[in-house]
Amino acid sequence: MPPRRADVFVDPADDPRNDGPSPAGERATLLDYLTFQRQTLELKCAGLDAAALARRSVEPSTMSLLGLVRHLADVERTWFRQRLAGEGGVRRFSSPDEPDGDFDGALPEQLLVDEAWAAWREEVAFADAWVASAPDLVRERIDGRVGQ
Amino acid sequence: MSEPFPSPTLPFVSRTEVLLGYLAYFRSVLLEKLDGLPEAELRGSRLPSGWSPIELLRHLTYVERRWLVWGFEGEAVPDPWGDERDGRWYVAPGETLEALVAELATQAERTRAVALAHELDEVGRPGERWDGAPPATLERVLLHLVQEYARHVGHLDVVRELVDGSVGE
């Protein structure tokens, strides 16, 4: 007999994700959703060792949790750093020669796990900082006003 | 025929249409991933949690109805939790895929009509849906539906790959 839905969800008291009141405004709302999704990724990976994180649990798919962390690190990087901030650069975990490198290269090694989380956290921090500073940059481009 | 992916560079006339564009896209992917599944796969489960693809289809129809019709518009909805029985998703053996697809299409039209009849920052009507919390804005409800669809369609991507190896957006 499959489990009841309530039994497969984390106990609300143990759920680290924000369930507070909805923020006001479009920017805060979008950031709230993005933060929730990021925390969900961390929640789904919590407590697993390198072997479990790299396990292809739904073969034949090459998808693994570690592959997802690597993939999402590059998604954050592509959209925020490369496209929105215009910094250029290349993806960390895939390339034109290895377009699925983010998933294919997700091997059960602690060094790779540490590297993936470090990359993801760096890109998330960049994204948050960029989003927070975007109105300042926009205003400065309009009339040079800075500060506050 | 799938709806176009609402790529960030694709022009839309309003933010509401962007969010509706995502929903239309995810619905079309949902139907593509269901298309051609053998009956046993449609009504069976590939995963330990035990949900079936046809149950997922009904669940998403009810999710839209619960949030927009029952919740945002504050209308009386008969059996708002009709996608569940005894705490699990449920579809009776005699119910056909065609009928459930038609139900989703009807709900999709209603969803679009509700979304276009209000501003994104408009707050929903009071009612049971909000579980005692203040009603949410239309924007929050539509974003919730987008993330709900994205996550569930991702589940179905995996199941379809397990069934016959077919992948892709």
Side-chain angles (χ1 to χ4, degrees):
Chain A
M1 182 63 99
R4 295 160 64 94
R5 286 181 57 246
D7 297 334
V8 298
F9 282 75
V10 65
D11 185 327
D14 298 329
D15 192 332
R17 296 171 296 184
N18 174 33
D19 196 27
S22 305
E26 186 182 15
R27 175 184 300 258
T29 299
L30 291 172
L31 283 176
D32 197 47
Y33 271 92
L34 189 51
T35 300
F36 186 92
Q37 300 295 328
R38 288 167 174 163
Q39 289 174 333
T40 302
L41 176 71
E42 292 183 299
L43 187 64
K44 288 287 176 180
C45 294
L48 298 178
D49 63 15
L53 288 171
R55 186 171 155 207
R56 273 67 168 159
S57 59
V58 282
E59 285 183 313
S61 175
T62 58
M63 189 170 62
S64 65
L65 289 168
L66 177 58
L68 280 173
V69 175
R70 290 157 59 97
H71 178 69
L72 289 168
D74 270 346
V75 169
E76 298 260 5
R77 184 177 175 84
T78 303
W79 283 103
F80 287 103
R81 192 189 290 277
Q82 297 180 349
R83 293 189 178 145
L84 283 170
E87 282 194 10
V90 295
R91 294 184 182 208
R92 293 170 196 259
F93 301 110
S94 65
S95 66
D97 287 343
E98 291 183 280
D100 295 325
D102 40 5
F103 289 101
D104 294 346
L107 304 175
E109 294 165 21
Q110 191 57 43
L111 271 178
L112 290 183
V113 172
D114 295 343
E115 174 197 50
W117 282 119
W120 182 77
R121 294 210 167 88
E122 189 182 326
E123 297 304 334
V124 166
F126 178 91
D128 284 345
W130 191 87
V131 171
S133 67
D136 297 341
L137 300 179
V138 169
R139 178 64 192 251
E140 186 177 358
R141 291 289 288 267
I142 291 172
D143 62 3
R145 181 166 171 180
V146 297
Q148 270 87 50
Chain B
M1 184 65 192
S2 66
E3 292 283 329
F5 178 68
S7 169
T9 52
L10 196 68
F12 276 92
V13 299
S14 67
R15 288 188 290 133
T16 304
E17 289 287 2
V18 172
L19 295 168
L20 289 173
Y22 273 100
L23 289 178
Y25 169 73
F26 285 129
R27 284 191 209 99
S28 74
V29 175
L30 169 73
L31 298 185
E32 274 182 18
K33 295 283 176 183
L34 291 171
D35 186 43
L37 279 181
E39 276 290 301
E41 296 287 355
L42 192 62
R43 295 169 194 274
S45 186
R46 285 264 173 177
L47 297 169
S49 49
W51 61 272
S52 71
I54 197 168
E55 291 166 355
L56 178 63
L57 165 65
R58 163 171 278 171
H59 173 65
L60 286 167
T61 305
Y62 273 78
V63 166
E64 289 195 43
R65 186 174 302 153
R66 275 198 289 271
W67 281 108
L68 280 164
V69 183
W70 192 41
F72 193 82
E73 293 285 42
E75 286 180 18
V77 166
D79 199 11
W81 300 95
D83 52 333
E84 296 186 9
R85 209 168 81 169
D86 298 331
R88 297 186 190 88
W89 293 348
Y90 178 75
V91 170
E95 296 181 277
T96 65
L97 178 63
E98 291 67 31
L100 295 186
V101 167
E103 240 185 274
L104 176 65
T106 303
Q107 177 54 46
E109 279 177 34
R110 187 70 210 282
T111 292
R112 184 171 173 81
V114 171
L116 293 176
H118 300 276
E119 297 297 325
L120 283 176
D121 60 1
E122 215 173 311
V123 169
R125 299 178 68 89
E128 281 176 65
R129 160 77 281 196
W130 314 108
D131 291 331
T137 61
L138 177 63
E139 178 180 46
R140 286 296 301 263
V141 170
L142 291 177
L143 277 167
H144 177 82
L145 292 179
V146 168
Q147 68 85 32
E148 177 107 13
Y149 260 96
R151 203 160 168 189
H152 281 315
V153 169
H155 297 148
L156 195 56
D157 285 340
V158 172
V159 164
R160 183 73 203 220
E161 184 176 5
L162 288 171
V163 170
D164 63 6
S166 70
V167 295
E169 294 188 357

